[in-house]
Amino acid sequence: MDYPIVVESEGVKIRSEKMEVDKLYYCIYQEKILLFYKEKNDMLNCYEITEKDVIDEVKQSQSDDIENILQRYIEKKNLNY
């Protein structure tokens, strides 16, 4: 499956029809991490992470570790998704 979030020079393109429900997607754009989440009713949620330490940690991590880093951040900030 193609990743539904595409980062281009002019912005981020979201193909929500390709997103799975209850799955967290992310990208880095303009030194921010953007998190996207699609609910059962097709409602799309977006969170922005601007903390430099989290962004640097994600940039330096392997893809398997990134989800754990983001999950810890979500729990720390008590974000609901």
Side-chain angles (χ1 to χ4, degrees):
M1 176 173 81
D2 292 332
Y3 199 71
I5 310 299
V6 178
V7 177
E8 297 179 345
S9 59
E10 63 273 1
V12 177
K13 293 186 180 180
I14 304 166
R15 297 177 292 185
S16 62
E17 71 279 359
K18 294 187 179 243
M19 293 176 75
E20 293 178 32
V21 173
D22 297 334
K23 182 175 178 181
L24 188 66
Y25 296 90
Y26 66 90
C27 68
I28 297 176
Y29 180 70
Q30 294 184 341
E31 293 304 310
K32 298 175 187 170
I33 298 174
L34 302 176
L35 303 175
F36 302 96
Y37 175 80
K38 184 176 177 180
E39 295 179 2
K40 292 176 192 153
N41 60 0
D42 287 338
M43 177 76 96
L44 187 62
N45 296 287
C46 177
Y47 300 99
E48 182 179 283
I49 300 173
T50 57
E51 285 90 341
K52 185 171 178 10
D53 58 327
V54 177
I55 296 166
D56 289 343
E57 187 177 3
V58 166
K59 284 181 175 180
Q60 296 171 11
S61 296
Q62 300 295 322
S63 59
D64 293 342
D65 298 329
I66 293 173
E67 286 194 34
N68 291 329
I69 295 166
L70 296 175
Q71 190 61 44
R72 283 195 314 267
Y73 177 84
I74 288 168
E75 290 169 4
K76 178 181 169 187
K77 295 294 183 176
N78 200 24
L79 301 175
N80 295 321
Y81 85 96

